[in-house]
Amino acid sequence: MYINDLSLPPLVVAQAGESYNHNTNENRWIEVLVDCPGIAKEAVTEPEEGEKEEKLYTYRLPAGLEVKLGDILSVPFGRQLVGGIAIRLLAQPPANLAPAEIRDVEDVIHPKFFRESYWQLLERVSQYYYTPLIQVIRTALPPGLLGRSQTRLRLKPENIPSGANEFVGLAAREILKILQSQGSGDYSFKFMRRQIKGFDRGKKQLLQRGWVETYIEMPRYSRPQTKPVVTLIVSIPPIDLNKRQREILEVLRRHGGELWLSEFLQICNTTTPTLRRLEEKGCIVIEEREILRSDRGPTVTADQPKSLSLAQSQALSTIKELDGYATVLLHGVTGSGKTEVYLQAIAPLLAQGKSALVLVPEIGLTPQLTDRFRARFGNKVSVYHSALSTGERYDTWRQMLAGEPQVVIGTRSAVFAPLPNLGLIILDEEHDSSFKQDSPIPTYHARTVAQWRAELENCPLVLGSATPSLESWISVRISDTKTDRHGDAEKFSVTASPRPRHVLQRGEPPQRSGSRVPVSSHYLSLPERIHSRPLPPVEVVDMRQELQQGNRSIFSRSLQEALQQLKQRGQQGILFIHRRGHSTFVSCRSCGFVLECPHCDVSLAYHHTEEGAPQMLRCHYCNYARSHPKNCPECSSPYLKFFGSGTQRVAQELAKQFPELRLIRFDSDTTRTKGAHRTLLTQFANGEADLLVGTQMLTKGLDLPQVTLVGVVAADGLLHLSDYRASERAFQTLTQVAGRAGRGEDPGKVIVQTYTPEHPVIEAVQNHDYQSFTDAELEQRQALNYPPHGRLILLRLSSLDPMEVENTAQAIATALSQQEGLDILGPAPASILRVANRYRWQIMLKFAPDALPQLPDWEQVHQLCPKSVSLTIDVDPINMM
Ligand code: ADP
Ligand code: ZN
Ligand code: ZN
C-alpha cells in the first residue's frame, strides 16, 4: 500500500483536484469514508452515545460522474443516502466483494470540500507517518462531522431561463417551485425528499442543467445563547416623561447606560411593558445580545501594541518582509518578549484579510497567552484543542471554514485547522514534546506538519523558543553551511560552530525531488529580557554535601533560607518538582554514582513488576539487565535511591518546616477540572499564596512578575532519564523553569538542588549557555547517529500474551536485520513492561536520513504480526518509554 521512497509522490491513482473521468473505463471503484448512520442503534456492540463510526466502503463510480479525491459524495447506505469522502480510487474491486454487491455512488455533493493544499497535507502525513489516509482524516476532522452535516440544494437563479418549467419534468418543476418560494432559494435534501415524490430524479435534471447546486452545511451545534439587554440611547430625557419614567432612565444611566433586562427589572422593580413604552418613546432599546460562551474566556481589557525593543523590532521587520514560505527560528531568552513579536506580526495580516495559526503546547496551561491575544484581537481569536466538546469543535470549524480573517490558537491537532488564506503559522515553545503524538497513529509532530503546511500554503512559519530543539537549531544553520539537506551528514558538523548571525538568509539548494520551492531559513535572536532585566543568577546546591553535613531534609539550607526570606519580603516563589516518570533511575546518595548500561550511554531503569519479584535494572535500548545492587558499585554506600519525588511529598514537607507559607499545588492532580489552571494561577497572581508547587506544567509560558524565587527540588530526576534526549529535555525544562524568576522589577534567584552538580546540563543552565550546551550535545548525537543527525523509527508492540509479543518482536527484528542501512536496537521490553494488562516490547530502527529508500516494507512487517499483537510505527519518536 505504501511505497518506501518518501521523495516520490504518493502512490495514489489520482492527485487531489485531478479528475478521474476515463470514459473508456466502464468499471471504476472508489473507497469512500462513510459516516455510518444508525450503526449505533443496529450494531451489537454499541459505540458511545452520539459517536458514529466512520468506515471505508467501496462503491462503483457510474459512467459520466466526475469525482475528485476529497470530494464529498452521497452514497447509498442501507436504505438511506449518506455523505462520505472520496478517499482512494481502485483499479480493481476488493477481492472479497463480488462486483454485483458493490453499489453506485449517487452523486457529488460538495466538490473540493478540501482545498487542494489541505488534501495534499493529509496525504503527506499519511505517507510520512505510515498511516492510512482515513486515520489521518479522522485526526484532522471533528468526529462525526459528516453524519451530522446537512446536504442541501440551492437555486442558481442566474442560470434559469424564463419559462424554465417547460424544459423539465414534474418533480423538477416542483423542486423549483419550493425553492423559489423561499427568499434564499435553499432547502435540505431531507426536507425536499419528504415533500416531493421523485425528488432524486428531479434534482438530477436540475443539476444537469446547472439550475441548482448542492452543498453541505456543517452541523450547527450550539446556537449562540442570547439574552435581552437594555441600552440607554438618549442623554437628556424628553420632556413628556413622567417622574417614574425619569427615575428608571436615571437608574440605567447610573449603571453605565446598559443592563441585562432581567437585572434591570429587578433593580427598578418595574415591568417589561413599562420599558417597552420607554422604548417606543425612543429613550432606550431592548435587544437580544449574545452571551459569550465560557470557553471564549472572561472578558479581557483591550490593550495596545507595545513599543518594541530594538531586537524585537528587528525580528518583527524580518518576519513582516517575508513573502511566501520560510522558516524562522525566533530564539529569545525567557522574558524577552516573543509574544509581543507574534502579536505585531499577526496584526497586519488580519488587516489584509489573512488568518494566523498559533500552536502552543497545552492550552489549559496558557490562559495568560490566550488572554493576551484576546486583549489585542478581541473576538477574532478562537481556541481549538482536544478538550473542546464535539459541538464546540463543529462551531470552530464552521467559523474557520467561513474564511473571515482570524487567529486560531490551539494545541497539536490544531495544525489541521482548516483556515483558508493562511498568512502565518507560529509554533510557540517549539521545543516542547507535547507537539508530538505518541499514539494513536499518525504519530505526527506538529512542527513537522506545520512545516509542510507552511510550504503548501506558501506562508512563513515562526518557531519560537528560549531553548530551541536541536532539530530547529540545526535546520536554520544548515542553510548557513550550504549543505544539501539530504546530502552528506558530515557537513552538518557542529565543530565548525558557525555562530548564528542575527539574520541568516539563504535559499536552500533545490531538493532531489525537484518539487519543493526553495526554502529560506532565518535565525532571529532576542538575546535580552525586556527592559534589559538580567536573567536570574542560578545557584547550584550539591545535595551530597548537604547529606554529609547532616541535613536530611529535601530542602538544602540555601533553599530553606530563601523560603524564609520570601515571607519576610512579601515576595512569591515557585518550587519545581520533576514529575515522577514511569521509569526511574538509581543513584547513590553518598557519591552521586548513577547506574548505567555498559553498552549504551543511558542510565538503567528500575523495574519492579510485582510484590516478591526480583528488583531489576534494565536498559531500554539493548535489553541489558542486571539485578538491583545492595550497595553502590562505586563507593559501597548502602544509600541507593531511585529518584522521583512527588509534589505531594514536597507539600507535606513544606507544611512541616514552613507552616507560615501558603502554597498552591499545581500538578495533574489539582488541575484536573476544567478551568482549574486558570483559577489556581489567578489565585497565585492575586497573591493568595506565597508558593506555587508543581510539576512540568510550571515551565510553560508563565509570566508572573512577582515571582522572585524559583527552586528546583531535585534536578536529577530529569538528568538521568533512560533516553538519549534526556539532556536536551533537562536543559530545556530547567532553563524554562529558571526563566520564571525575576521577570518583574525585583531581581530573581534560582536554586537548583542536585546530586550531580558537575553534570554538563547543570553547568549550562547555571551559565545560561545554550550555545555551548547545544554544540556539545550535537557532537554526541552525531557520534551515535541519533537525531537530528540520524533518524529513528520506533516499533511499539503490545499484546495480552507476554510470549507472543516477545516472539513477534524477535521475528520482526530478525526480518529487519536483512535490510541494509538499518541499525536495529532491541527488541527490548518497554520500561513498564505491562500496562493495562498488555505486555509491551519495542524495536528501534536507526538510519541515516538519506537511507529512506531502504526502509522496510511495512506491509510485510505487519504480516509478521499476529492478530493478537498490535503494532504501532512511531516515526521520529520522542518518548521512548
Ligand atoms: P517571552 O514569551 O519571550 O518569555 P513575553 O512575551 O512573555 O516573553 O514578555 C515578557 C514580558 O514583557 C511580558 O509581561 C510582556 O508584556 C512584556 N513586554 C514584551 N514586550 C515588551 C515591550 N516592547 N515593552 C514593554 N514590555 C514588553
Ligand atoms: Zn556511591
Ligand atoms: Zn544498553
Side-chain angles (χ1 to χ4, degrees):
M1 191 172 191
Y2 298 105
I3 46 159
N4 299 328
D5 186 347
L6 294 177
S7 65
L8 292 176
L11 186 64
V12 279
V13 193
Q15 293 286 336
E18 223 170 76
S19 97
Y20 199 78
N21 190 10
H22 295 293
N23 297 328
T24 49
N25 200 346
E26 265 295 301
N27 289 320
R28 300 169 299 145
W29 292 270
I30 187 159
E31 281 178 339
V32 179
L33 176 61
V34 176
D35 244 330
C36 313
I39 272 223
K41 272 173 260 145
E42 287 158 21
V44 191
T45 53
E46 286 197 9
E48 293 275 298
E49 228 271 283
E51 259 188 40
K52 290 181 185 165
E53 219 189 334
E54 294 127 351
K55 279 199 178 153
L56 268 188
Y57 290 91
T58 306
Y59 289 89
R60 190 195 340 264
L61 283 174
L65 188 67
E66 193 178 324
V67 172
K68 300 175 191 93
L69 298 184
D71 283 355
I72 298 212
L73 310 175
S74 118
V75 291
F77 192 86
R79 273 173 293 148
Q80 313 175 49
L81 283 176
V82 298
I85 305 171
I87 300 290
R88 207 164 75 110
L89 289 146
L90 304 173
Q92 302 287 328
N96 57 348
L97 275 180
E101 286 174 41
I102 304 178
R103 302 168 75 178
D104 278 10
V105 171
E106 214 261 341
D107 211 343
V108 177
I109 296 176
H110 198 124
K112 296 196 185 137
F113 179 76
F114 296 95
R115 281 166 312 116
E116 189 165 340
S117 57
Y118 192 84
W119 189 255
Q120 280 175 4
L121 182 76
L122 300 181
E123 282 184 333
R124 224 186 232 188
V125 171
S126 151
Q127 206 189 357
Y128 186 84
Y129 291 104
Y130 307 108
T131 301
L133 187 57
I134 167 175
Q135 291 285 107
V136 180
I137 291 176
R138 280 196 189 123
T139 306
L141 250 57
L145 181 76
L146 283 181
R148 296 181 188 200
S149 292
Q150 264 194 343
T151 47
R152 298 179 69 90
L153 200 60
R154 173 159 64 194
L155 215 52
K156 295 178 87 178
E158 68 278 11
N159 292 355
I160 303 177
S162 54
N165 277 344
E166 322 218 330
F167 301 103
V168 290
L170 189 65
R173 259 182 258 167
E174 259 184 82
I175 295 176
L176 283 181
K177 198 168 107 200
I178 290 187
L179 289 176
Q180 279 162 342
S181 73
Q182 238 271 339
S184 59
D186 180 326
Y187 271 106
S188 76
F189 277 27
K190 204 168 154 194
F191 172 82
M192 307 226 0
R193 208 173 262 134
R194 257 187 280 129
Q195 300 291 314
I196 299 166
K197 234 180 120 196
F199 165 74
D200 288 307
R201 199 171 0 100
K203 181 196 69 186
K204 209 168 221 159
Q205 272 187 358
L206 294 173
L207 279 170
Q208 271 164 6
R209 294 185 179 263
W211 295 354
V212 295
E213 64 185 350
T214 55
Y215 72 102
I216 192 152
E217 186 181 64
M218 311 260 295
R220 190 184 291 275
Y221 186 78
S222 58
R223 263 168 233 297
Q225 271 202 340
T226 61
K227 230 165 103 167
V229 68
V230 187
T231 312
L232 185 67
I233 54 170
V234 289
S235 43
I236 304 161
I239 38 172
D240 62 333
L241 296 190
N242 61 34
K243 183 158 169 262
R244 178 70 184 135
Q245 286 173 322
R246 281 168 196 277
E247 272 172 17
I248 291 173
L249 293 186
E250 179 54 21
V251 171
L252 189 54
R253 195 189 58 77
R254 270 189 275 124
H255 280 87
E258 200 162 87
L259 273 173
W260 294 117
L261 176 63
S262 52
E263 255 178 284
F264 194 29
L265 293 176
Q266 239 176 14
I267 292 172
C268 289
N269 194 18
T270 181
T271 60
T272 313
T274 312
L275 294 184
R276 287 282 172 214
R277 275 194 291 281
L278 278 170
E279 190 177 27
E280 280 159 24
K281 287 188 181 292
C283 302
I284 59 172
V285 283
I286 305 173
E287 60 187 356
E288 292 289 314
R289 177 149 328 150
E290 188 174 345
I291 314 168
L292 293 184
R293 256 194 284 135
S294 64
D295 206 73
R296 302 224 175 99
T299 38
V300 285
T301 28
D303 79 346
Q304 293 299 313
K306 297 185 166 58
S307 64
L308 299 181
S309 70
L310 181 65
Q312 278 178 319
S313 59
Q314 279 173 342
L316 180 66
S317 66
T318 306
I319 295 170
K320 275 160 85 173
E321 275 163 28
L322 296 173
D323 184 23
Y325 175 48
T327 307
V328 176
L329 177 58
L330 181 60
H331 182 188
V333 298
T334 53
S336 58
K338 293 183 286 294
T339 312
E340 187 63 31
V341 175
Y342 304 153
L343 290 168
Q344 297 199 24
I346 290 172
L349 293 176
L350 293 174
Q352 292 164 33
K354 292 186 180 170
S355 291
L357 182 57
V358 181
L359 300 176
V360 296
E362 277 159 73
I363 212 100
L365 309 185
T366 48
Q368 275 197 322
L369 184 94
T370 40
D371 284 355
R372 279 162 81 178
F373 275 79
R374 283 195 174 113
R376 199 63 61 86
F377 304 124
N379 59 9
K380 287 203 175 71
V381 178
S382 54
V383 171
Y384 190 77
H385 53 93
S386 50
L388 290 183
S389 73
T390 309
E392 288 168 321
R393 277 206 233 193
Y394 291 160
D395 285 0
T396 320
W397 255 69
R398 280 160 43 85
Q399 193 189 326
M400 290 190 278
L401 284 175
E404 290 288 308
Q406 56 193 298
V407 183
V408 171
I409 305 180
T411 46
R412 184 168 69 217
S413 65
V415 73
F416 295 109
L419 280 170
N421 212 356
L422 203 49
L424 179 64
I425 305 178
I426 291 167
L427 236 98
D428 190 33
E429 312 291 0
E430 66 85 27
H431 62 275
D432 198 287
S433 56
S434 60
F435 284 122
K436 174 71 164 63
Q437 175 152 307
D438 296 328
S439 73
I441 55 169
T443 57
Y444 67 101
H445 197 302
R447 185 178 56 224
T448 309
V449 179
Q451 208 119 31
W452 296 334
R453 182 131 197 225
E455 189 183 332
L456 290 163
E457 311 265 1
N458 198 28
C459 75
L461 168 67
V462 174
L463 305 172
S465 177
T467 51
S469 63
L470 299 190
E471 278 79 5
S472 299
W473 176 253
I474 214 170
S475 76
V476 293
R477 297 225 317 215
I478 286 170
S479 54
D480 193 39
T481 53
K482 300 179 196 165
T483 313
D484 182 343
R485 192 182 295 245
H486 295 290
D488 185 356
E490 285 305 312
K491 291 186 206 147
F492 294 5
S493 170
V494 287
T495 46
S497 186
R499 290 244 159 211
R501 274 175 272 121
H502 205 73
V503 175
L504 294 174
Q505 179 167 15
R506 182 167 288 118
E508 212 184 29
Q511 306 277 314
R512 260 200 312 213
S513 65
S515 62
R516 289 222 194 152
V517 285
V519 180
S520 72
S521 302
H522 305 257
Y523 176 83
L524 302 174
S525 150
L526 305 177
E528 271 200 341
R529 281 188 163 181
I530 286 300
H531 305 311
S532 300
R533 286 184 182 129
L535 287 168
V538 178
E539 178 188 336
V540 175
V541 180
D542 186 342
M543 292 303 277
R544 295 171 300 192
Q545 287 188 3
E546 294 288 317
L547 188 67
Q548 262 173 26
Q549 294 170 17
N551 176 15
R552 289 177 160 265
S553 157
I554 53 172
F555 305 119
S556 61
R557 288 158 299 174
S558 198
L559 186 54
Q560 293 182 18
E561 198 177 311
L563 287 169
Q564 246 134 27
Q565 283 176 1
L566 208 59
K567 190 75 185 181
Q568 287 156 14
R569 295 186 184 161
Q571 295 173 332
Q572 287 184 307
I574 288 178
L575 279 193
F576 172 75
I577 294 113
H578 172 61
R579 187 189 306 152
R580 185 185 178 128
H582 293 307
S583 84
T584 48
F585 71 99
V586 178
S587 104
C588 169
R589 284 195 78 178
S590 303
C591 76
F593 181 79
V594 174
L595 285 122
E596 290 187 347
C597 173
H599 307 300
C600 309
D601 280 340
V602 294
S603 42
L604 291 172
Y606 176 76
H607 279 259
H608 191 208
T609 37
E610 58 210 82
E611 207 57 37
Q615 301 178 12
M616 299 293 288
L617 300 178
R618 220 173 211 153
C619 171
H620 294 159
Y621 287 73
C622 69
N623 203 20
Y624 166 84
R626 58 164 295 171
S627 60
H628 189 313
K630 287 224 157 33
N631 297 88
C632 169
E634 198 70 10
C635 75
S636 304
S637 157
Y639 297 111
L640 284 179
K641 172 175 162 47
F642 20 95
F643 269 84
S645 107
T647 41
Q648 210 161 1
R649 210 187 121 213
V650 171
Q652 281 168 0
E653 204 61 36
L654 276 171
K656 221 169 17 183
Q657 286 193 46
F658 301 95
E660 72 284 4
L661 283 178
R662 297 161 305 161
L663 64 91
I664 292 177
R665 247 178 80 202
F666 194 71
D667 57 28
S668 50
D669 291 335
T670 60
T671 55
R672 208 159 281 156
T673 54
K674 198 172 176 180
H677 293 104
R678 183 185 281 278
T679 312
L680 292 178
L681 290 179
T682 308
Q683 285 175 355
F684 188 62
N686 291 344
E688 290 169 36
D690 309 299
L691 262 184
L692 197 57
V693 180
T695 52
Q696 231 76 340
M697 298 180 175
L698 292 176
T699 60
K700 306 190 185 188
L702 282 189
D703 183 33
L704 300 164
Q706 315 89 306
V707 173
T708 53
L709 172 69
V710 164
V712 176
V713 179
D716 306 73
L718 273 165
L719 297 175
H720 307 294
L721 288 174
S722 47
D723 176 340
Y724 77 96
R725 278 182 195 267
S727 290
E728 182 186 2
R729 205 172 295 160
F731 176 78
Q732 287 163 348
T733 305
L734 291 173
T735 304
Q736 296 285 353
V737 177
R740 302 308 114 204
R743 292 165 79 94
E745 309 230 312
D746 294 339
K749 172 180 179 156
V750 180
I751 297 175
V752 176
Q753 306 191 143
T754 172
Y755 288 89
T756 42
E758 66 283 359
H759 196 287
V761 165
I762 299 291
E763 282 181 14
V765 171
Q766 185 166 29
N767 301 325
H768 301 288
D769 191 355
Y770 174 85
Q771 170 97 39
S772 328
F773 168 77
T774 304
D775 286 351
E777 186 67 18
L778 278 170
E779 219 166 311
Q780 284 185 17
R781 300 276 183 93
Q782 180 162 35
L784 295 169
N785 257 324
Y786 277 120
H789 289 290
R791 280 194 56 206
L792 299 175
I793 289 182
L794 184 65
L795 307 185
R796 303 175 197 274
L797 296 115
S798 74
S799 169
L800 289 168
D801 182 339
M803 281 315 290
E804 188 146 48
V805 66
E806 184 174 346
N807 291 340
T808 307
Q810 204 61 62
I812 291 177
T814 308
L816 291 173
S817 64
Q818 317 292 323
Q819 211 109 39
E820 270 188 42
L822 276 188
D823 216 350
I824 301 173
L825 303 172
S831 59
I832 309 177
L833 178 58
R834 194 169 65 143
V835 170
N837 290 324
R838 293 188 79 85
Y839 292 84
R840 312 180 314 153
W841 280 70
Q842 55 194 38
I843 304 169
M844 176 97 86
L845 309 182
K846 194 159 76 169
F847 51 96
D850 57 359
L852 288 180
Q854 286 111 53
L855 273 185
D857 179 347
W858 296 114
E859 288 280 279
Q860 207 182 330
V861 170
H862 275 287
Q863 272 160 22
L864 289 169
C865 227
K867 270 216 162 63
S868 60
V869 177
S870 85
L871 166 65
T872 303
I873 301 175
D874 187 352
V875 178
D876 305 331
I878 285 201
N879 190 353
M880 305 296 161
M881 305 179 187

